[in-house]
């Protein structure tokens, strides 16, 4: 899940398989944290346990409900939303700190309707709007896994306290009435079993639309723009419709499968931010046939073309170097030589991405041209990668994908908004989309979490506005009563 957070950055700003045959999964052999490969001969309770574990991984439950250095599923992970910090709950089977007192019906209601056992409403940072599609059989297997295999942790997670009016959880009742489609997945008889399986995985368990679909003013997904790309805090979840220019229509099946399993495809792009977390914690461990099913389903998603876009993001740029020109420009005693994007790039970026922007041999450090982060219509992912770095670990790969961060928490060198804007503009001009530019103000906004949604900007005025509204209502009632007298 949004730690699939970047998903949560937008989701919490809200107010306040098909038939069982499609959902059924062959048993898999798993470690406590990592699934391995399908195992033959597993049956009965063991098979149910392994199905539940696989489903929990496909749903990416670990990511949100496990704090850094904390115990699995014990909660406490801090989700920095535009409206305040949301803390993930403890979902271990502890009766003291977790959900050990939940019945299977309680568990199903929380998972698919966003209502806890005590009747209080969850914020849609928990993607119950997607999990609503899960079958009864899969919910049952998930419940069985959490109650039988997860170690109980008695310490309750830190409580979430948002500012008024978002701290009024009952407001979610109205939001759910408007926007929650609490229906189970129904396979499309006109589609193949593979496509239906992919739809169930992507729309339900993996909750892809929660990140990749733009939202309206009340933070509900816009159905006509499904998977057309959306802002997620300072990052941008790209268009993954079947469009060949704005989406992933020009990617091959093999490239899409490789991206979902590794987070990297040479000449196309690499995963960072929330997508890196989703791949690291969840997608890389899916069976190959399930990944193929998701790819097959993505091919069926209606194409959405971004207005004015005529060239795919990955098609921009080529190798280029200004290194020879920069040599000798500053004396050995110069104190303020880092005065341009080219010089800053040479000092902080070229050692990994090469002076020509071609990246390293083997692309452990990717090329900056033919790269969706530099060729996109928004500089969000380029700027966020510079600010917050990239970290992605894939099982079986010798080296972890890593780029240091350059914000105020950097252990390399904190860079100012002006310096990051200069580097970004140099990279865009040299290797990416030259029509895109970055200002220091844009970097400052990204540093603080990105542009706030309308609801977040309205929040300071909601309490005084509500008070004024109540006073006006009282005044109206008094006036009406006096007229009757």
């Amino acid at each position: 899940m949004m730690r699939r957070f970047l998903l949560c950055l937008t989701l919490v700003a809200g107010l306040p398989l098909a038939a069982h045959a499609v959902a059924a999964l062959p048993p898999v052999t798993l470690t406590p944290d990592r699934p391995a490969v399908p195992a033959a001969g597993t049956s009965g309770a063991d098979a149910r346990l392994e199905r539940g574990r696989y489903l929990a991984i496909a749903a990416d439950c670990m990511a949100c409900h496990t704090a850094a250095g904390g115990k699995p599923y014990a909660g406490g992970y801090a989700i920095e939303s535009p409206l305040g910090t949301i803390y993930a709950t403890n979902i271990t089977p502890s009766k003291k700190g977790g959900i050990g007192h939940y019945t299977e019906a309680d568990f199903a209601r929380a998972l698919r309707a966003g209502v806890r056992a005590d009747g209080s409403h969850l914020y849609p940072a928990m993607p119950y709007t997607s999990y609503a599609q899960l079958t009864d059989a899969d919910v049952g297997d998930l419940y069985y896994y959490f109650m039988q295999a997860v170690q109980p942790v008695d310490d309750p997670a830190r409580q979430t306290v948002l500012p008024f009016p978002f701290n009024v959880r009952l407001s979610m009742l109205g939001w759910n009435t408007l926007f929650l489609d609490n229906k189970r997945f129904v396979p499309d008889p006109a589609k193949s079993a593979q496509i239906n399986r992919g739809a169930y995985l992507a729309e339900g368990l993996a909750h892809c639309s929660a990140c990749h679909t733009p939202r309206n003013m009340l933070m509900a997904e816009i159905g006509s723009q499904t998977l057309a790309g959306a802002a997620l805090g300072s990052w941008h979840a790209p268009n993954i419709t079947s469009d060949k220019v704005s989406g992933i229509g020009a990617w091959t099946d093999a490239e899409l499968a490789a991206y979902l399993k590794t987070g990297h495809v040479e000449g196309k792009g690499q995963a960072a931010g929330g997508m890196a977390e989703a791949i690291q914690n969840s997608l890389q461990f899916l069976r190959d046939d399930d990944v193929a099913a998701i790819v097959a389903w993505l091919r069926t998603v209606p194409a959405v073309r971004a207005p004015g876009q005529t060239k795919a993001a990955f098609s921009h740029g080529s190798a280029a170097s200004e290194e020879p020109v920069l040599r000798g420009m500053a004396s050995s005693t110069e104190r303020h030589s880092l005065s341009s994007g080219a010089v800053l790039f040479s000092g902080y970026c070229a050692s990994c991405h090469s002076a020509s922007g071609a990246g390293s041999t083997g692309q452990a450090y990717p090329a900056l041209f033919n790269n969706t982060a530099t060729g996109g219509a928004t500089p969000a992912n380029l700027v966020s990668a510079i600010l917050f770095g990239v970290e992605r670990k894939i099982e079986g790969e010798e080296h972890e994908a890593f780029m240091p961060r350059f914000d105020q928490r950097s252990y390399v060198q904190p860079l100012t908004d002006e310096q990051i804007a200069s580097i970004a503009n140099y990279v865009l001009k040299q290797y990416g989309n030259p029509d895109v530019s970055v200002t220091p103000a844009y970097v400052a906004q990204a540093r603080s979490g990105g542009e706030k949604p309308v609801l977040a900007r309205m929040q300071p005025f909601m309490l005084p506005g509500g008070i004024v509204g109540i006073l006006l209502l009282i005044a109206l009632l008094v006036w009406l009563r006096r007229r009757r007298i």
Side-chain angles (χ1 to χ4, degrees):
M1 259 184 315
M2 50 151 133
R3 191 141 67 183
R4 197 159 299 178
F5 135 58
L6 292 170
L7 124 77
C8 303
L9 279 180
T10 26
L11 282 183
V12 298
L15 282 176
L17 289 164
H20 184 54
V22 178
L25 296 165
V28 292
T29 301
L30 308 170
T31 66
D33 303 314
R34 300 282 186 258
V37 295
T42 310
S43 60
D46 289 340
R48 189 180 187 196
L49 187 67
E50 299 304 321
R51 284 196 299 271
R53 198 190 312 258
Y54 185 84
L55 290 164
I57 290 163
D60 206 7
C61 303
M62 178 76 76
C64 276
H65 289 279
T66 304
K71 296 179 180 179
Y73 301 115
Y77 177 73
I79 300 166
E80 300 298 336
S81 83
L83 301 180
T85 302
I86 288 184
Y87 294 95
T89 55
N90 180 334
I91 56 171
T92 72
S94 166
K95 291 185 178 180
K96 182 178 179 181
I99 59 170
H101 61 287
Y102 275 47
T103 65
E104 186 172 326
D106 291 334
F107 182 83
R109 190 181 183 205
L111 190 67
R112 299 190 296 200
V115 181
R116 297 191 297 203
D118 63 4
S120 62
H121 287 264
L122 296 169
Y123 295 110
M126 161 67 174
Y128 60 84
T129 52
S130 296
Y131 293 158
Q133 299 196 41
L134 301 190
T135 64
D136 292 343
D138 279 356
V139 171
D141 287 342
L142 277 166
Y143 178 76
Y144 185 78
Y145 164 67
F146 277 104
M147 294 300 166
Q148 301 299 322
V150 174
Q151 291 297 314
V153 177
D154 289 337
D155 297 329
R158 185 171 177 177
Q159 294 296 305
T160 297
V161 181
L162 296 182
F164 180 86
F166 306 113
N167 61 339
V168 182
R169 290 179 179 264
L170 190 61
S171 65
M172 290 307 306
L173 178 62
W175 192 92
N176 290 338
T177 301
L178 291 172
F179 303 118
L180 174 61
D181 184 4
N182 196 12
K183 295 179 181 177
R184 311 301 160 245
F185 179 82
V186 177
D188 184 345
K191 302 289 176 60
S192 69
Q194 182 189 45
I195 291 175
N196 276 306
R197 174 64 178 169
Y200 180 77
L201 288 166
E203 295 182 308
L205 284 164
H207 49 281
C208 300
S209 67
C211 281
H212 291 274
T213 298
R215 296 175 177 274
N216 61 26
M217 287 185 62
L218 293 180
M219 304 312 297
E221 296 176 18
I222 302 173
S224 62
Q225 295 288 306
T226 297
L227 303 184
L232 296 170
S234 67
W235 298 85
H236 181 79
N239 182 325
I240 55 171
T241 72
S242 58
D243 189 81
K244 291 186 176 181
V245 173
S246 300
I248 45 82
W251 293 49
T252 67
D253 287 358
E255 287 173 334
L256 288 171
Y259 188 85
L260 292 174
K261 296 286 280 188
T262 70
H264 173 73
V265 173
E266 186 173 346
K268 289 293 195 300
Q270 56 285 315
M275 190 62 188
E277 291 181 341
I279 291 170
Q280 177 172 297
N281 293 302
S282 174
L283 296 173
Q284 69 164 313
F285 300 115
L286 296 186
R287 297 194 316 266
D288 290 345
D289 62 307
D290 275 343
V291 172
I294 292 174
V295 171
W297 172 75
L298 283 171
R299 297 296 188 198
T300 71
V301 176
V304 178
R305 175 71 58 86
Q309 187 174 3
T310 59
K311 190 175 183 180
F314 63 78
S315 63
H316 284 275
S318 60
S321 175
E322 291 188 8
E323 196 71 19
V325 179
L326 300 178
R327 293 179 181 177
M329 288 183 62
S331 68
S332 58
T333 59
E334 177 66 55
R335 296 184 59 189
H336 303 290
S337 61
L338 301 179
S339 56
S340 71
V343 174
L344 288 162
F345 177 86
S346 176
Y348 293 112
C349 311
S351 59
C352 291
H353 294 284
S354 86
S356 67
S360 63
T361 302
Q363 294 292 289
Y365 300 105
L368 297 176
F369 49 87
N370 302 140
N371 185 321
T372 54
T374 61
T378 170
N381 291 341
L382 171 60
V383 170
S384 292
I386 298 172
L387 277 170
F388 309 120
V390 177
E391 190 171 359
R392 188 180 67 248
K393 186 174 182 179
I394 303 300
E395 296 287 311
E397 290 193 355
E398 183 178 357
H399 301 291
E400 177 181 351
F402 179 78
M403 172 181 167
R405 59 195 302 155
F406 290 93
D407 65 354
Q408 59 271 30
R409 292 171 52 191
S410 175
Y411 62 82
V412 177
Q413 174 64 59
L415 298 178
T416 66
D417 297 337
E418 290 75 14
Q419 289 173 320
I420 291 176
S422 294
I423 293 172
N425 285 324
Y426 175 79
V427 169
L428 290 166
K429 180 181 177 182
Q430 285 284 96
Y431 312 114
N433 185 348
D435 295 330
V436 176
S437 62
V438 177
T439 65
Y442 181 91
V443 178
Q445 185 180 72
R447 194 187 293 269
S448 64
E451 183 179 5
K452 289 187 177 182
V454 173
L455 282 176
R457 297 198 298 270
M458 290 173 57
Q459 187 275 328
F461 309 103
M462 289 182 177
L463 179 58
I467 293 173
V468 170
I470 292 172
L471 292 175
L472 289 175
L473 179 61
I474 293 173
L476 177 62
L477 293 174
V478 170
W479 180 75
L480 289 174
R481 183 174 180 179
R482 287 179 175 176
R483 285 198 63 184
R484 289 175 186 159
I485 295 175

